[in-house]
Amino acid sequence: MDLNVILGLIIGFGSLIAAFILEGGEPGALLAVTAAMIVFGGTIGATMIGFSREEIMNVPRLLKIALQEKPFDLHKAIDTIVNYAVLARREGFVRLEKELETIDDSFLRTALQLVVDGTDPEQTRNVLEQYIYATEERHATGISIFEAAGGYAPTMGIIGTVMGLVHVLSNISSPDKLGPSIAMAFIATLYGVSSANLLWLPLAAKLKNKAGKERIYQEMVLEGVLALQAGRNPTLIRSTLLAFLSPEVQKKILGRSGGKEEGTGGQARRRKG
């Protein structure tokens, strides 16, 4: 479970409710079934219009992805690729076939399968780049669903408020009821704006963040597997893939290794020059 999502929702909605109570408001005053029906029902309906049934049915899976913690350990992936490179240099690409069954990540497994099958390097790159592109497009569709909901929700809140005010004005002959009725009408606007900025748009941002991390991971695997297929030195492969890590992590890794990767990479560059 991704605790950041849970904590963010608790802190966000909790702060709004706590501030309302501190101002002297009653928590029960924030509950309005009709306003919720207008805002959430209208938002979901409007969002469904813009997407296919298959895409909308995929929303529960998207929510699961947003709520689950799925770290992409780039450092571990680098070690794995380097180990495979060592095996390939010692025993050949056929040796990697035995490792395929132990790989959980479908992208890395596909990449190594192409190498084991003797696919041309250029074709290997094309296949893996197409895989990355398709994954990115699939993620973009899911993200756009929540972004669309975030755009519709405030408008639905305004619609709910207008409908409430229409009801208020139709009963203007009872002045003593105007205050509570007007307050209830504006609950719809509160629901629309708060759900957009504390639920729909943050979920879209979370999915976008995870998609970006997966893209970096896949690009790193792509470059690593192509280097492995080209028969490059495992230490040089490690030095090359370290570029995908943050500078802070690179310093920690190079510090623990005594700068061996950096030195080897520098020697390789000097030989190339």
Side-chain angles (χ1 to χ4, degrees), residues 38 158-168 185:
I38 293 171
I158 294 173
I159 292 174
T161 297
V162 172
M163 292 173 65
L165 291 177
V166 169
H167 177 68
V168 169

Side-chain angles (χ1 to χ4, degrees), residues 19-41:
F20 181 77
I21 294 174
L22 290 175
E23 287 292 328
E26 291 291 333
L30 296 176
L31 299 177
V33 176
T34 54
M37 290 175 62
I38 293 171
V39 173
F40 291 100

